[in-house]
Amino acid sequence: MLQIEAENVPGARRLVVDWGWKDWSEPLLPGETEGNEPAIVTPKFVREAIQNAIRLGWQPEEKGLRFFIEYKDSSFKIVSLTRRSGH
């Protein structure tokens, strides 16, 4: 997972991006798949994640709960505002 937050904004809503990456050295559990692309997070992927999150409603300087999106099948989708709040 990739986590992004606004600089110099205490308590800003953090963007969390899940792209389904799995460690190749870990065995797959029943029902799991190999994981999504990209295998390596590039600056271009980070930029696209931020742009799509803003399009989906993330406001980087707004304070609040985490904003979760996922990258799957070559597109970004909103998942939840609170999912995995313990992470």
Side-chain angles (χ1 to χ4, degrees):
M1 262 191 245
L2 171 67
Q3 296 193 39
I4 301 165
E5 63 184 40
E7 188 175 33
N8 300 320
V9 183
R13 173 177 268 176
R14 184 176 298 165
L15 170 63
V16 181
V17 184
D18 183 352
W19 69 97
W21 182 84
K22 305 242 189 283
D23 187 335
W24 63 269
S25 67
E26 295 289 326
L28 294 175
L29 298 173
E32 282 189 323
T33 60
E34 287 293 325
N36 294 326
E37 295 293 326
I40 298 172
V41 174
T42 63
K44 179 182 177 192
F45 181 80
V46 173
R47 181 178 61 249
E48 289 174 353
I50 292 169
Q51 290 170 340
N52 279 279
I54 290 169
R55 179 182 59 80
L56 292 167
W58 179 55
Q59 297 177 15
E61 295 184 359
E62 178 181 74
K63 295 183 180 189
L65 301 172
R66 293 181 174 121
F67 191 90
F68 287 86
I69 62 172
E70 71 177 359
Y71 180 77
K72 189 174 182 181
D73 301 326
S74 300
S75 67
F76 291 92
K77 297 176 181 118
I78 191 167
V79 177
S80 169
L81 300 179
T82 59
R83 195 187 83 175
R84 297 184 188 166
S85 59
H87 289 258

